[in-house]
């Protein structure tokens, strides 16, 4: 007798499409994790509808449901309607603590997990401390990607340490290899030669070109960096 796969619904913030080259790091993490686990878990991923992506889609064993995003409450209301028909075993909310109360109100017996990616959406500019504490109390588990974030969250809200689980993002070793591997050393030397970078100092920026990512700080510091090297 085949073991029944658990049904897991993942609610992305609705700010970016998934899967897409235009996704933020949140959607990218969801895409990578569900791809790895899709043979063992029945995933339904909720995300933003765009003109390039259909409302309902299935890729491999992963179902995608996309909803037009105009305001987070309207987005979440439509997600809840579709969730009611799905009846998942686990509901995972990505990076939006303020989504928890509405989900908990509608699914009082569900296992609700908050996957927190950074300090941004637990900051006062996004949610008041009292509301944050109340919302976290309604989640069954909170997954964070570092011990720094776990310690920060506990210090900020005094939430139960046993409720917060650290799950490192990890790396896809089929896509990224150690810089000490022979193959990678050869690729690096080939790239440097191809780009005419031999003997030059190289600064790598990884992130979207948004002010919050700090690329402007690198540009401002460039004259001092050039003098220093």
């Amino acid at each position: 007798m085949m073991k029944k796969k658990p049904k897991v619904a993942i609610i992305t913030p609705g700010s970016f499409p998934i899967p897409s080259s235009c996704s933020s790091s949140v959607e990218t993490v969801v895409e990578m994790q569900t791809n790895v686990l899709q043979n063992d878990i029945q995933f339904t991923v909720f995300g933003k509808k765009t003109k390039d992506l259909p409302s309902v889609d299935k890729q491999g064993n992963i179902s995608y449901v996309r909803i037009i995003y105009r305001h987070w409450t309207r987005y979440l209301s439509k997600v809840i309607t579709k969730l009611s028909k799905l009846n998942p075993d686990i509901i995972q909310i990505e990076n939006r603590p303020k989504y928890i109360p509405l989900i908990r109100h509608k699914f009082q017996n569900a296992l609700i997990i908050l996957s927190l990616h950074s300090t941004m959406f637990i900051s006062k500019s996004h949610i008041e401390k009292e509301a944050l504490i109340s919302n976290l109390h309604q989640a069954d588990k909170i997954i964070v990607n570092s011990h720094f974030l776990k310690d920060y969250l506990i210090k900020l809200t005094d939430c139960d340490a046993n409720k917060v689980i650290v799950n490192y993002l990890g790396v896809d070793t089929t896509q990224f290899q150690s810089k000490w591997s022979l193959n990678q050393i050869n690729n690096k030397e080939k790239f440097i030669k191809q780009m005419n970078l031999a003997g030059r100092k190289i600064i790598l920026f990884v992130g979207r070109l948004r002010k919050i990512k700090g690329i402007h700080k690198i540009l401002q510091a460039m004259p001092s960096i050039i003098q220093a090297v």
Side-chain angles (χ1 to χ4, degrees):
M1 186 176 179
M2 288 186 64
K3 185 179 179 181
K4 184 182 176 183
K5 295 180 181 179
K7 289 195 292 185
V8 177
I10 299 180
I11 305 172
T12 65
S15 305
F16 295 91
I18 180 174
S20 171
S21 59
C22 298
S23 295
S24 75
S25 58
V26 172
E27 292 78 21
T28 301
V29 168
V30 170
E31 181 184 352
M32 297 299 291
Q33 290 177 339
T34 52
N35 282 341
V36 170
L37 298 170
Q38 63 177 301
N39 292 328
D40 302 309
I41 297 173
Q42 187 178 338
F43 284 112
T44 301
V45 179
F46 293 87
K48 181 181 181 179
K49 173 74 177 76
T50 63
K51 63 180 180 180
D52 301 321
L53 293 170
S55 297
V56 179
D57 184 20
K58 190 160 187 178
Q59 299 189 20
N61 294 324
I62 306 167
S63 297
Y64 289 95
V65 179
R66 302 183 182 94
I67 296 164
I68 294 173
Y69 186 98
R70 291 194 176 92
H71 186 272
W72 73 270
T73 53
R74 293 174 65 183
Y75 167 75
L76 197 56
S77 177
K78 292 180 180 180
V79 168
I80 287 171
T81 299
K82 296 183 181 297
L83 269 178
S84 299
K85 299 176 183 177
L86 183 64
N87 192 28
D89 300 304
I90 299 171
I91 301 173
Q92 181 166 307
I93 299 169
E94 296 293 325
N95 216 35
R96 293 295 188 276
K98 65 183 179 182
Y99 286 9
I100 297 173
L102 287 174
I103 296 294
R104 175 56 76 195
H105 177 71
K106 293 293 183 180
F107 304 94
Q108 295 184 15
N109 298 320
L111 179 64
I112 297 177
I113 297 172
L114 171 67
S115 179
L116 197 60
H117 295 249
S118 69
T119 62
M120 178 180 291
F121 290 94
I122 58 174
S123 66
K124 191 173 182 180
S125 60
H126 287 276
I127 187 170
E128 290 294 330
K129 186 175 179 178
E130 294 75 13
L132 175 62
I133 292 171
S134 174
N135 293 3
L136 295 183
H137 180 73
Q138 296 177 65
D140 294 290
K141 292 291 181 181
I142 304 163
I143 299 173
V144 295
N145 54 29
S146 69
H147 281 283
F148 165 80
L149 188 50
K150 177 176 181 175
D151 294 342
Y152 182 92
L153 186 67
I154 293 170
K155 184 177 180 180
L156 178 66
T157 66
D158 198 31
C159 68
D160 182 359
N162 293 323
K163 194 173 186 175
V164 187
I165 302 168
V166 176
N167 182 35
Y168 296 114
L169 294 178
V171 63
D172 181 356
T173 55
T174 62
Q175 186 177 3
F176 299 99
Q177 297 178 346
S178 167
K179 71 175 185 178
W180 292 285
S181 69
L182 182 60
N183 185 50
Q184 192 66 7
I185 292 172
N186 292 335
N187 286 340
K188 178 182 176 182
E189 291 176 351
K190 182 179 177 181
F191 176 79
I192 288 174
K193 185 177 180 180
Q194 180 182 347
M195 301 301 293
N196 194 29
L197 295 172
R200 299 187 182 187
K201 301 291 184 179
I202 301 171
I203 296 175
L204 175 66
F205 171 81
V206 180
R208 286 177 288 125
L209 296 178
R210 295 183 63 198
K211 187 175 181 179
I212 194 172
K213 297 297 182 180
I215 184 64
H216 62 295
K217 297 292 186 182
I218 295 177
L219 296 176
Q220 290 169 3
M222 195 58 69
S224 299
I225 293 172
I226 292 171
Q227 283 185 344
V229 297

